[in-house]
Amino acid sequence: MQHRYALAGGAFAVTVGLGVGLGLWATGGDGSPAGSARSASDTAPGPSSPDTGPSPSPSRSYPLSQAPRTIPAVRSFTAARGPGWHPAHGERVVVSDGSLADEGRLIAGELGLTYAGEQSDVRSGDVRLALSGGEGGNPESYTMTVRDGRVTISGPADAGVFYGTRTLKQEVHGGGTAPEGVVNDAPAKPRRGFMLDIARKPYTPGWIEDRVRELGDLKYNELGLHFSDDQAFRIQSETHPEIVSKDHLTKAQVKQIVDLATSRHITVVPEIDSPGHLGAVIAAHPDLQLRNAQGLATRGAIDISKDGSAQIVDDLLDEFAGVFPGGYWHLGGDEYQALTVRAPEASYPQLAAAARKAHGPGGTVADLTTGWLNDRAATVRNHDRTPRAWNDGFFRNTSVQPAKDIEVAYWTGKEIGARQPVEYLAAGRKVINYNDEFLYYVLGQPQTFVYPTGQRIYEQWTPLVLRGTQAVPARYDSQILGGTFAVWGDRPNAQTQDQVAAGIRMPLRATVQKLWDPGKPALSWTDFKALAGRLG
């Protein structure tokens, strides 16, 4: 951790793990430079700086403020002398722009304040939310200024302003005070996700909504829903009601979840896995089951040589694009059992024939499967979605290459023909870190899985650690978009949903800390855990 101290005119600047380029967009609530980008004297109200307003009290001397303690930790704080701010009955939340109304109403309700909408006057006690900094800034960045008994949270977009309100909420939790001074903050990684397998284990809508609120307060911005697998299909469908499991979410319930997530600046990323993990679909359409040369059924695998297979999956992708309006779509692509045998072309002659027909005499089952992935990517691309697929859905030595815009969800190195993460990165792929060594919470701990601990993530993992415990070279950092902590329901009865919530509580906090700032944390694990306990 890097510190910078400057004592002049009563202010004290502390820069904590400041990201590259932060000073380019950091501004105070009044539009002036802030944090490490502003001098100590600029932050010190008093007789020598009349533009900043009078000192809070001519007869009192305030100690220098301490940096706020939040999860994730703020990345820069400029300390100052003053009383700070705490919510009081009758004080207002005002906004500079009507587009911030949702953020304003939310924080007002949480802190027991009055939401007063767009106002031009400034009062003591106000919390003011403002758009500032113009276009081109990091939309998730924000500046929070506590000065003269007021709070101003500003940023180039509403997402950053929202994150500023999360910082304020944590600062004053339990009757505390937001310290005098200026916070400049922004995440290191643009994708900060939590994925939930609701196919193998159903969760109640209320439980999922509670996780959305938790994720929002922790500044996560993605919720993945894996709702189709061999065990069940868990969301109501009009195009194929025959595949829907008895215990499922209605579209109205999903809309409520999506709307709540949107209000917290969280994108819900759906996953309908194919061409494997389609057992629930196949149960209603046994004619689409993949069978080998001996006529034996292959678990969970759809026969991609049949036109009906593509039709049913595309029907579902088209239908659910209207349910999940976010910009991303997870296509799955993993563990297609036809490619786990020694001789796929001999074992599945119908797939081999289809591959030759589609891709020429040298076409292979891997080529055909890659073509399937590309076709499904084209389907979601038609809905302006960016496709994503598991890393074991990308194959070596194929004449057909996966589309360049398909993001790699890297989770394992255990598959047949496993490749190191560097192979994907060296090819220019964008990658999201789902490292199963650290970020996989698999119910029942089957095979070699163990429940991940927050301490291990906090002390050993960074977004560069994509596989096992080894980091990839730092030159690939910009290609790693972020990471996702995943809960899988392999043994669904191993834990209740309340036990899951308790079990993932600290891993979620540790993960977002390292996605917000991958450097060595300032707090020890013991102190971080104690802070999480105080914040709730």
Side-chain angles (χ1 to χ4, degrees), residues 69-71 170 173 218 505-506 509-510 523 525-536:
R69 291 291 180 92
T70 60
I71 297 175
Q170 288 193 30
H173 175 80
L218 292 170
R505 183 177 178 276
M506 288 309 300
R509 284 151 178 78
L523 297 181
W525 170 250
T526 299
D527 289 342
F528 183 83
K529 188 175 180 180
L531 175 62
R534 289 197 301 274
L535 294 177

Side-chain angles (χ1 to χ4, degrees), residues 19-336:
V20 175
L22 196 59
L24 295 179
W25 51 257
T27 59
D30 56 1
S32 59
S36 65
R38 67 192 299 184
S39 69
S41 60
D42 287 334
T43 66
S48 62
S49 52
D51 290 343
T52 62
S55 298
S57 170
S59 62
R60 295 185 62 183
S61 176
Y62 292 97
L64 204 62
S65 61
Q66 299 294 312
R69 291 291 180 92
T70 60
I71 297 175
V74 302
R75 303 189 69 192
S76 172
F77 178 66
T78 301
R81 297 184 188 278
W85 179 92
H86 64 271
H89 180 71
E91 290 177 345
R92 309 183 306 173
V93 174
V94 300
V95 299
S96 69
D97 189 285
S99 66
L100 296 173
D102 289 344
E103 289 74 20
R105 289 191 182 95
L106 178 62
I107 191 64
E110 291 169 330
L111 300 186
L113 307 178
T114 299
Y115 176 67
E118 292 184 67
Q119 300 288 338
S120 58
D121 66 316
V122 178
R123 297 181 188 175
S124 178
D126 277 354
V127 174
R128 181 173 183 268
L129 309 184
L131 296 177
S132 66
E135 297 182 3
N138 182 338
E140 294 190 310
S141 68
Y142 69 93
T143 295
M144 183 168 70
T145 303
V146 179
R147 182 189 297 157
D148 300 335
R150 297 188 296 272
V151 180
T152 300
I153 299 172
S154 62
D158 54 355
V161 174
F162 171 73
Y163 296 138
T165 68
R166 301 305 88 194
T167 295
L168 180 63
K169 180 183 177 182
Q170 288 193 30
E171 285 181 325
V172 302
H173 175 80
T177 297
E180 199 89 0
V182 181
V183 168
N184 284 304
D185 206 10
K189 291 299 180 183
R191 310 281 186 85
R192 304 175 302 281
F194 169 63
M195 194 227 76
L196 184 65
D197 172 10
I198 65 173
R200 294 179 177 94
K201 179 179 180 65
Y203 295 82
T204 64
W207 189 94
I208 298 172
E209 289 170 8
D210 284 345
R211 301 289 74 70
V212 169
R213 296 183 185 95
E214 181 181 15
L215 295 172
D217 282 353
L218 292 170
K219 304 185 176 100
Y220 279 88
N221 63 4
E222 280 193 5
L223 168 64
L225 289 181
H226 176 94
F227 64 92
S228 170
D229 213 302
D230 293 339
Q231 293 79 358
F233 191 98
R234 295 285 186 191
I235 299 179
Q236 172 190 358
S237 169
E238 276 81 40
T239 61
H240 290 283
E242 73 280 0
I243 70 172
V244 179
S245 302
K246 182 178 179 180
D247 191 350
H248 66 272
L249 299 175
T250 67
K251 285 187 176 177
Q253 290 170 329
V254 173
K255 184 180 187 305
Q256 190 165 319
I257 292 167
V258 170
D259 288 348
L260 179 64
T262 300
S263 75
R264 266 62 174 179
H265 295 272
I266 295 169
T267 299
V268 181
V269 182
E271 181 189 359
I272 298 176
D273 203 346
S274 79
H277 294 282
L278 281 171
V281 173
I282 293 167
H285 295 271
D287 56 307
L288 300 180
Q289 175 96 52
L290 178 64
R291 295 182 178 275
N292 67 11
Q294 287 73 46
L296 298 176
T298 302
R299 175 176 166 79
I302 204 164
D303 189 335
I304 60 176
S305 70
K306 295 184 175 182
D307 293 339
S309 296
Q311 183 63 56
I312 194 169
V313 173
D314 283 347
D315 286 347
L316 295 169
L317 296 177
D318 287 334
E319 177 183 3
F320 284 96
V323 177
F324 298 99
Y328 307 108
W329 195 287
H330 203 317
L331 296 168
D334 62 312
E335 298 179 329
Y336 188 47

